[in-house]
Amino acid sequence: GENVEQHPSTLSVQEGDSAVIKCTYSDSASNYFPWYKQELGKRPQLIIDIRSNVGEKKDQRIAVTLNKTAKHFSLHITETQPEDSAVYFCASVGNTPLVFGKGTRLSVIA
Amino acid sequence: EAGVTQFPSHSVIEKGQTVTLRCDPISGHDNLYWYRRVMGKEIKFLLHFVKESKQDESGMPNNRFLAERTGGTYSTLKVQPAELEDSGVYFCASSRRTGGSRTPLHFGNGTRLTVT
């Protein structure tokens, strides 16, 4: 079945700096890659997603890139703010239901 | 629209007891999923309903877990008897029929289950 690896597990950045979270997947049939943000005590919420027919997608300060050949995708957050602090999960969908990475705890230090 | 709601938000039970978790998906969402996150680990898939039918239950850990979705509306997840390793946060999510897993999932706030 699908296996999603996510790195790093924790990440601390200064406010205003960029943050990058990387994920790899194993199932070449995977074709949908959402990213979820979970703030403390709250539900995971979709922040951006990308499908396999595109290589990059951007939404304001958030961007996701996908390299299907290498089977990896990344989340980029620019100009980080304290409210970006949360746990971020990557996920992939192919022939199996949504499979999540282990999460990255991002701390933005003011 | 109302979001996915889960009840209870927290549950503390003793080993050997029974607990039933409930999920009300967004109205009109045929797909309903149960996921579980054990502390510090990934959110793991448990099972998937399409309306009242179990589409995929490959993630259910063992026969102590029973999920139902009678009438294709709300769903329950029963753990009987509960073991220590069942502790974690149980999330429910729903999505529209079209696209199945390839459409955004809407998550509930989760039920934090603690087995002592």
Side-chain angles (χ1 to χ4, degrees):
Chain A
E2 173 72 294
N3 183 47
V4 177
E5 298 286 339
Q6 183 172 347
H7 299 279
S9 56
T10 59
L11 178 61
S12 291
V13 299
Q14 292 289 330
E15 182 178 1
D17 287 351
S18 295
V20 180
I21 302 171
K22 298 182 179 181
C23 289
T24 61
Y25 62 98
S26 60
D27 187 355
S28 56
S30 292
N31 57 9
Y32 174 60
F33 306 91
W35 286 85
Y36 286 83
K37 174 184 179 182
Q38 186 182 16
E39 297 177 68
L40 190 62
K42 296 187 178 181
R43 68 188 72 192
Q45 290 198 303
L46 178 74
I47 55 171
I48 195 167
D49 57 12
I50 191 168
R51 299 183 190 274
S52 60
N53 56 345
V54 298
E56 184 174 358
K57 183 176 177 180
K58 191 172 182 180
D59 183 4
Q60 299 182 344
R61 297 186 296 108
I62 295 173
V64 59
T65 59
L66 170 65
N67 183 328
K68 283 217 74 179
T69 303
K71 296 197 187 75
H72 65 71
F73 55 113
S74 302
L75 178 71
H76 304 251
I77 306 174
T78 58
E79 301 171 30
T80 53
Q81 300 167 3
E83 53 265 37
D84 294 331
S85 296
V87 179
Y88 291 79
F89 293 94
C90 64
S92 80
V93 179
N95 292 324
T96 57
L98 202 63
V99 176
F100 287 88
K102 290 187 177 181
T104 296
R105 183 174 298 280
L106 173 65
S107 300
V108 179
I109 304 165
Chain B
E1 63 181 2
V4 177
T5 56
Q6 291 186 245
F7 182 84
S9 57
H10 294 84
S11 179
V12 181
I13 61 172
E14 293 183 352
K15 176 182 173 180
Q17 289 186 321
T18 297
V19 63
T20 300
L21 315 181
R22 172 170 170 147
C23 168
D24 287 76
I26 293 172
S27 177
H29 282 194
D30 288 342
N31 290 295
L32 187 149
Y33 304 82
W34 282 99
Y35 283 84
R36 174 174 72 175
R37 187 180 188 212
V38 174
M39 191 169 65
K41 297 191 175 181
E42 69 269 35
I43 302 172
K44 291 195 76 172
F45 168 79
L46 296 178
L47 89 158
H48 170 207
F49 284 99
V50 176
K51 294 187 179 180
E52 68 276 9
S53 299
K54 290 177 184 175
Q55 183 79 6
D56 183 345
E57 52 184 330
S58 61
M60 295 288 263
N62 50 60
N63 59 10
R64 295 185 294 102
F65 289 75
L66 175 64
E68 294 180 322
R69 192 183 182 194
T70 306
T73 54
Y74 70 91
S75 174
T76 58
L77 179 65
K78 180 190 287 188
V79 185
Q80 178 183 31
E83 298 289 344
L84 299 178
E85 64 264 27
D86 300 333
S87 296
V89 180
Y90 289 78
F91 288 104
C92 175
S94 71
S95 69
R96 294 188 182 281
R97 179 70 179 101
T98 304
S101 294
R102 294 170 181 76
T103 55
L105 295 188
H106 299 264
F107 280 85
N109 281 330
T111 294
R112 182 175 295 279
L113 175 64
T114 303
V115 182
T116 62

